[in-house]
Amino acid sequence: MSQTLLEQSLGQLACDIPGATRIFHSFKLDFCCGGHKSLREAALGKDLDPLLIADALHDLQDAGDTQLDWRNEPSQALIAHLLARYHARHREQLPELIRLARRVEQVHGARSSCPNGLADLLTDMQQELEGHMLKEEQVLFPMLQQGIGLQAAPPIQVLRFEHDQHGQALDQLLLLTNHIIPPADACNTWRALYRGLLEFKDDLMQHIHLENNVLFINALKPRH
């Protein structure tokens, strides 16, 4: 059974199996921007054993947990969820993360473990994300809410490209922060920053996953 999972895409598995995204996070597999890759391809690309991951996913399937399958929900409901759960949340998260990052850099900048440059990276991400979310809110989402699907292909192409850029920025963030692991003697501010960064990373990956692998795919399906 695990063998059949190997050729399925990470995006498909993330939709199909409740809890799959937790496993992908633990193995550092990108199911949002890299969601088109098969489990086998993605695992081998990171020198991981694909069967080990497939077995873990298979165990989840056997557990029989359920989650809301957004592929079967109307696009209006998914858009409302994206706006409330992710767009509004990112706008809350980033100003505070930038403030904490600046403080950590000011106080601990001389230490080799200090994530110098993180505040600037987060500021760039905030600007890029804000512009991106406005395109969705002002252009794409209204089109989809009006039932315009296939004609939305050009903006969807642009937004997918921007998602890839967000993914590259997340890679930089992980590089700067030792995969968001604070040093053993990190102060409370540093630990609070990294807790917030972990939450932001997980939220952003889930946000991009729901758009790339559910909303956009559903929008571009031919209507009969």
Side-chain angles (χ1 to χ4, degrees), residues 127-145:
Q127 290 169 347
E128 295 293 330
L129 258 177
E130 185 57 36
H132 176 84
M133 293 191 296
L134 285 174
K135 282 187 199 125
E136 292 179 338
E137 291 160 8
Q138 295 172 2
V139 179
L140 181 67
F141 290 174
M143 288 177 82
L144 299 184
Q145 284 164 327

Side-chain angles (χ1 to χ4, degrees), residues 15-49:
C15 291
D16 285 347
I17 303 175
T21 56
R22 282 199 309 276
I23 288 176
F24 294 151
H25 280 304
S26 69
F27 285 102
K28 299 184 173 60
L29 291 175
D30 175 9
F31 59 89
C32 54
C33 302
H36 57 284
K37 290 184 180 174
S38 71
L39 172 57
R40 184 195 302 278
E41 180 190 0
L44 292 176
K46 293 224 166 193
D47 291 327
L48 298 168
D49 179 357

Side-chain angles (χ1 to χ4, degrees), residues 44-91:
L44 292 176
K46 293 224 166 193
D47 291 327
L48 298 168
D49 179 357
L51 269 175
L52 183 72
I53 303 166
D55 287 344
L57 292 170
H58 189 229
D59 290 345
L60 275 183
Q61 281 182 316
D62 286 347
D65 291 343
T66 56
Q67 68 182 5
L68 179 61
D69 191 335
W70 284 106
R71 292 172 298 183
N72 302 328
E73 298 296 314
S75 60
Q76 285 89 340
L78 177 51
I79 287 168
H81 174 68
L82 289 166
L83 289 171
R85 175 64 183 81
Y86 298 107
H87 285 218
R89 187 77 186 106
H90 295 329
R91 287 178 173 127

Side-chain angles (χ1 to χ4, degrees), residues 1-14:
M1 177 64 193
S2 296
Q3 286 283 350
T4 61
L5 300 177
L6 294 176
E7 307 314 324
Q8 293 181 41
S9 72
L10 296 185
Q12 175 92 29
L13 293 166

